[in-house]
Amino acid sequence: MPARRDRDLERHYSRSQFVAKLRRLADAIESEAPFTIQVAGERLRVPAHAEFTIEHERTDGTEELEFQVRWSPE
């Protein structure tokens, strides 16, 4: 399998799309199952053993909350 290129992107979703993705992710986490999602044309498989963090940033009057899911390739 060829190595994947580095990438860093951000996608905007409607409220209903975002809720649906979060709900599917929450269901997978709760059942300790892997989660598959497509972002900008690339399908990602998040394994059940992924790590989860929540990050808060405040800069120049702007607040940001990030829910992060991190894993190493299997």
Side-chain angles (χ1 to χ4, degrees), residues 4 10 19 23 30 35-36 39 42 49-50 57 61-62 64:
R4 291 184 177 213
E10 184 175 311
V19 167
R23 190 164 283 130
E30 188 172 51
F35 174 74
T36 302
V39 179
E42 184 175 331
H49 68 269
E57 296 178 27
T62 301
E64 183 174 336

Side-chain angles (χ1 to χ4, degrees), residues 6-67:
D6 289 350
R7 77 182 204 166
D8 184 9
L9 60 91
E10 184 175 311
R11 290 290 295 218
H12 293 268
Y13 293 96
S14 69
R15 182 180 307 265
S16 62
Q17 290 171 318
F18 186 69
V19 167
K21 290 178 186 309
L22 283 177
R23 190 164 283 130
R24 284 192 323 106
L25 176 60
D27 289 346
I29 293 168
E30 188 172 51
S31 64
E32 298 182 19
F35 174 74
T36 302
I37 186 170
Q38 185 166 328
V39 179
E42 184 175 331
R43 285 184 77 78
L44 304 169
R45 183 182 178 279
V46 180
H49 68 269
E51 295 178 0
F52 307 96
T53 59
I54 299 174
E55 181 178 320
H56 174 245
E57 296 178 27
R58 181 181 299 123
T59 315
D60 299 327
T62 301
E63 305 271 345
E64 183 174 336
L65 183 65
E66 294 181 12
F67 292 82

